[in-house]
């Protein structure tokens, strides 16, 4: 309540923008085909053809003790989800993005470690709200 609802919405937008920058830096794409469909609460990230997102989510949990969301219904096995809603901030999300990068590399998905984290950090550098 102290933060104020408008500030909460602004923080979620800022955090989501950082995650979207990370996804772009990885060379991956969001499930939401156009910016008008982007969510400030969760990002669903498409994996390249031939990779199983359910296996990626299991691996991230087993090896890195992190919980990612699964793809549901028509996108099951094709996407994983990163949440950026609630009591979180740029530092907690930077840790989550680091774990995602390691899991993506472990799965053989050709990304450069640090690329997404760096892109997100650049997005968040100025004006990030501190979460209570």
């Amino acid at each position: 309540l102290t933060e104020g609802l408008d500030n909460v919405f602004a923080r979620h937008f800022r955090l989501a923008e950082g995650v979207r920058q990370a996804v772009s830096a990885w060379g991956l794409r969001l499930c939401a085909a156009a910016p008008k469909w982007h969510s400030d609460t969760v990002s669903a990230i498409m994996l390249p053809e031939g990779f199983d997102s359910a296996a990626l989510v299991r691996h991230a949990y087993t090896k890195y003790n992190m919980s990612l969301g699964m793809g549901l219904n028509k996108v099951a096995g094709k996407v994983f989800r990163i949440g950026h809603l609630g009591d979180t901030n740029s530092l907690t999300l930077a840790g989550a993005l680091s774990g995602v990068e390691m899991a993506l590399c472990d799965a053989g998905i050709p990304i450069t470690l640090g690329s997404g984290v760096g892109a997100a950090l650049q997005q968040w550098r100025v004006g990030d709200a501190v979460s209570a």
Side-chain angles (χ1 to χ4, degrees), residues 14-82:
R14 236 182 355 269
L15 294 173
E17 282 294 301
V19 171
R20 291 189 273 266
Q21 290 298 315
V23 172
S24 178
W26 294 331
L28 301 178
R29 64 182 180 84
L30 295 169
C31 185
K36 71 179 181 177
W37 301 114
H38 291 173
S39 169
D40 293 340
T41 62
V42 65
S43 292
I45 297 114
M46 302 289 296
L47 287 187
E49 195 71 32
F51 291 95
D52 179 12
S53 65
L56 178 81
V57 169
R58 280 190 304 274
H59 177 75
Y61 182 77
T62 302
K63 186 164 184 183
Y64 300 111
N65 196 32
M66 71 177 302
S67 294
L68 299 168
M70 304 276 275
L72 305 172
N73 202 355
K74 292 181 181 180
V75 294
K78 297 177 183 179
V79 307
F80 68 95
R81 296 177 292 127
I82 299 173

Side-chain angles (χ1 to χ4, degrees), residues 7-8 10-11 21 23 33 44 53 59 72 85 90 92 94 110 116 125 132:
N7 291 329
V8 170
R11 178 169 48 84
Q21 290 298 315
V23 172
S53 65
H59 177 75
L72 305 172
L85 172 70
S90 56
T92 58
R125 273 185 62 236

